[in-house]
């Protein structure tokens, strides 16, 4: 299977603004931001989407969420708030088949989402 864009960023084949990385995941700035802060947190493990995750991925999924919250704090969103989004599949608008958490903030976000 062809490498996803995010796998190519992990492998340093594509440039990205990397805000954070550790042994399990990376946080980068979205190339097409939908809010003043729009970052993506994704695992090094090439899981296509949350719907494909299994019991073995439980700790990894927890790590992604905690990392997203820490990154949000690091960019000063803890007071104002932020939103985490995971798109899974066609109806959700998933466009990159490599699991990622969107971190959005620094503006009022509408609800329900579009
Ligand atoms: P989704 O639609 O949930 O799969 O989200 C994919 C996200 O990846 C979109 O917000 C894109 O703007 C973003 N994106 C695509 N290519 C890149 C890239 N090379 N660097 C950073 N973000 C990207």
């Amino acid at each position: 299977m062809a490498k996803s864009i995010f796998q190519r960023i992990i492998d340093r084949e594509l440039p990205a603004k990397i805000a954070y990385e550790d042994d399990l995941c990376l946080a980068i700035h979205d190339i097409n931001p939908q809010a003043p802060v729009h970052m993506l947190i994704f695992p090094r493990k090439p899981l296509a989407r949350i719907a494909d995750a299994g019991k073995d991925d439980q700790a990894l999924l927890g790590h992604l969420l905690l990392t997203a919250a820490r990154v949000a704090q690091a960019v000063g969103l803890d007071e104002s708030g932020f939103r985490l989004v995971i798109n899974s599949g066609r109806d959700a608008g998933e466009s990159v088949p490599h699991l990622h958490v969107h971190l959005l903030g620094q503006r009022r976000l509408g609800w329900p989402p579009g």
Side-chain angles (χ1 to χ4, degrees):
M1 206 179 77
K3 277 188 188 181
S4 72
I5 290 171
F6 298 158
Q7 194 61 51
R8 295 186 65 202
I9 288 172
I10 292 166
D11 294 342
R12 301 302 200 266
E13 294 172 6
L14 282 179
K17 259 179 89 182
I18 298 173
Y20 173 83
E21 65 181 315
D22 62 26
D23 54 331
L24 293 175
C25 72
L26 279 77
I28 68 167
H29 292 267
D30 197 291
I31 204 168
N32 182 24
Q34 302 301 310
V37 173
H38 187 174
M39 295 165 90
L40 304 166
I41 298 89
F42 51 86
R44 292 182 187 277
K45 178 177 176 177
L47 252 178
R49 60 192 58 80
I50 189 77
D52 295 343
K55 190 80 180 147
D56 287 354
D57 298 311
Q58 190 162 307
L60 177 60
L61 296 176
H63 182 75
L64 288 180
L65 291 180
L66 288 173
T67 299
R70 277 196 210 106
V71 170
Q73 280 169 352
V75 296
L77 296 178
D78 41 350
E79 285 269 317
S80 54
F82 56 89
R83 184 173 294 168
L84 303 180
V85 174
I86 299 175
N87 294 320
S88 186
R90 187 192 56 219
D91 277 0
E94 175 201 303
S95 62
V96 178
H98 185 125
L99 172 65
H100 49 283
V101 180
H102 293 258
L103 164 62
L104 298 149
Q106 228 168 73
R107 73 167 169 83
R108 272 296 175 116
L109 297 163
W111 193 265

